[in-house]
Amino acid sequence: MSVLRFENVSKQYPGGHAALAEVSFDVAEGEMLFVTGHSGAGKSTLLKLIHLSERPTRGAVLFAGRNLLKVRGSRVPLHRREVGAVHQDHRLLTDRSVFENVSLPLILRGERRGDIAKRVREVLARLGLGHRERALPTELSAGEQQRVGIARAIVAEPKLLVADEPTGNLDPTLAAEIMALFASMPERGTSVLVVSHDLALIRRMRKRVLILDHGKLVDDISPADLAE
Ligand code: ADP
Ligand code: ADP
């Protein structure tokens, strides 16, 4: 079953040319892939269509079999809770502890306090942040902050994790660490879509790569193609 499906998706901003043109692809359950392309290629637009901060001009985006065109405005927050998002600047709440930041998605879902604490501690332990739960984001290193952002994105076990240049601010060692973390998500049933400029990093990961160019999906490279 596919988690995400783009069917002939085109997006034209008012007054603009096509930011995306007839883009079609499928992301399977438990698949990890990269989306790359130069500046202006349409990567952010693709993410915005997934988050429902923009709507396609033509075509359809399906998430877990549901056509996102049918998700009305009042339902958008519910949809976003099903997609974990990691940002380059991690967007943590600076006046809340690590524990509180990571709890947030579960609080929004109305889960019980005892369950929340258990789940948050599990995720923090898994990401090597168990000893940092009381810290404020500003007291953490860049790599730790990014891991807190990832913890928050995965704590509610989303079907899809979407990361926008997640290693942009990190040194190569930390970037590799974060990528290894993403690569471990699929075995837990979470698909992972990473937007990145970092071709060296993408090559090393040996995953599927979608290449956008001027809004067109010009290549969809499978790991087997990268193997030689
Ligand atoms: P990328 O993330 O790959 O840099 P974008 O999706 O941001 O690409 O942009 C794709 C194209 O759409 C670019 O030509 C950009 O200028 C245009 N674009 C993006 N957002 C808007 C907007 N809100 N209004 C008009 N044009 C936009
Ligand atoms: P930009 O690159 O212009 O910041 P984004 O694509 O990152 O735009 O996001 C557009 C808007 O949608 C932002 O207000 C962002 O906070 C929000 N957003 C993006 N992804 C999610 C998500 N998974 N859950 C909740 N809000 C999101």
Side-chain angles (χ1 to χ4, degrees):
M1 174 148 108
S2 71
V3 168
L4 180 69
R5 179 182 202 124
F6 272 55
E7 285 180 359
N8 296 313
V9 172
S10 297
K11 172 67 185 178
Q12 193 138 14
Y13 291 104
H17 54 99
L20 287 178
E22 302 276 326
V23 169
S24 297
F25 65 92
D26 245 301
V27 179
E29 212 167 275
E31 184 176 30
M32 175 170 175
L33 77 165
F34 288 88
V35 175
T36 193
H38 55 66
S39 180
K43 304 182 296 297
S44 304
T45 300
L46 187 138
L47 291 181
K48 285 174 182 170
L49 296 176
I50 296 171
H51 302 143
L52 284 179
S53 45
E54 291 288 350
R55 305 271 180 170
T57 313
R58 281 187 309 281
V61 178
L62 283 83
F63 178 75
R66 181 164 17 111
N67 187 338
L68 294 186
L69 274 176
K70 301 208 171 113
V71 177
R72 284 180 298 140
S74 60
R75 292 267 167 186
V76 167
L78 276 175
H79 164 70
R80 288 183 181 162
R81 277 177 226 159
E82 292 183 33
V83 181
V86 178
H87 305 276
Q88 178 169 11
D89 56 1
H90 51 72
R91 304 191 191 174
L92 300 174
L93 301 173
T94 51
D95 59 344
R96 303 292 177 89
S97 69
V98 165
F99 183 91
E100 289 171 313
N101 268 280
V102 177
S103 300
L104 208 59
L106 300 177
I107 291 170
L108 289 173
R109 272 204 337 200
E111 307 234 347
R112 296 187 7 239
R113 275 177 59 160
D115 296 339
I116 292 175
K118 183 165 176 283
R119 184 84 198 109
V120 169
R121 294 207 166 102
E122 271 169 18
V123 170
L124 290 178
R126 194 172 137 215
L127 300 200
L129 291 165
H131 60 302
R132 302 301 262 150
E133 70 171 60
R134 288 172 196 283
L136 292 174
T138 47
E139 296 164 345
L140 303 176
S141 70
E144 285 175 330
Q145 290 179 2
Q146 191 58 297
R147 278 186 281 149
V148 175
I150 293 170
R152 184 184 53 186
I154 65 174
V155 71
E157 300 186 325
K159 291 193 182 74
L160 177 66
L161 182 67
V162 171
D164 190 1
E165 300 286 356
T167 58
N169 293 330
L170 305 179
D171 69 48
T173 312
L174 281 175
E177 204 177 280
I178 297 294
M179 280 300 151
L181 248 174
F182 285 144
S184 73
M185 304 291 165
E187 68 204 35
R188 293 168 175 255
T190 297
S191 304
V192 182
L193 186 155
V194 181
V195 166
S196 177
H197 271 107
D198 189 343
L199 290 179
L201 183 94
I202 292 173
R203 250 181 238 121
R204 275 201 302 278
M205 293 301 292
R206 300 190 175 279
K207 303 284 182 194
R208 181 180 175 197
V209 186
L210 304 185
I211 302 177
L212 289 172
D213 184 16
H214 291 93
K216 294 205 176 77
L217 181 58
V218 293
D219 223 336
D220 184 343
I221 305 167
S222 75
D225 297 333
L226 294 169
E228 77 275 358

